[in-house]
Amino acid sequence: MSKNIRTFAVDHLFEAILCLKDSEECYTFFEDICTVNELLSLSQRFEVARMLRNHKTYLEIAEKTGASTATISRVNRSLNYGKDGYDMVFSRISEIKETNE
């Protein structure tokens, strides 16, 4: 059974994230709102997704990130059957890099 994440509290959290101006503000906010392990877990999943999109093997990903095969599999499932959030962000990052070159 899937939990509904679209709540008033989540809306407020996203509003707070969207008002951050740069990576230094992100560090300040996320260090307050997340534990170190939570933040490292989120960043690990994002790195796993990036590596999967770059056609790296589970073994390469596990060695580079320290992620378990279960985590890699969960991220892969999100990439293939999720809401395309990772791909949306990867596309925007790519556009920003192209603009800045």
Side-chain angles (χ1 to χ4, degrees):
M1 176 160 45
S2 176
K3 292 183 181 180
N4 181 15
I5 66 164
R6 293 180 183 269
T7 66
F8 186 71
V10 173
D11 284 346
H12 276 162
L13 173 62
F14 290 166
E15 286 173 18
I17 293 168
L18 289 169
C19 80
L20 299 171
K21 294 181 179 140
D22 55 32
S23 56
E24 197 55 44
E25 286 189 2
C26 287
Y27 274 103
T28 300
F29 180 70
F30 280 95
E31 284 181 41
D32 282 350
I33 199 165
C34 294
T35 65
V36 170
N37 286 338
E38 289 168 336
L39 192 51
L40 292 175
S41 290
L42 290 171
S43 64
Q44 181 187 63
R45 287 184 206 141
F46 191 71
E47 182 65 8
V48 166
R50 187 190 65 77
M51 292 180 77
L52 284 166
R53 278 296 180 247
N54 288 326
H55 309 290
K56 301 298 181 192
T57 66
Y58 276 36
L59 181 59
E60 290 172 308
I61 296 167
E63 287 175 352
K64 170 108 168 118
T65 67
S68 68
T69 55
T71 295
I72 298 167
S73 180
R74 269 194 306 275
V75 171
N76 194 42
R77 193 167 34 254
S78 291
L79 285 169
N80 292 318
Y81 305 107
K83 305 250 183 186
D84 297 325
Y86 283 116
D87 288 329
M88 174 184 60
V89 170
F90 293 146
S91 175
R92 290 187 184 162
I93 289 171
S94 180
E95 288 171 10
I96 290 167
K97 284 183 179 177
E98 288 174 9
T99 301
N100 291 334
E101 290 178 352

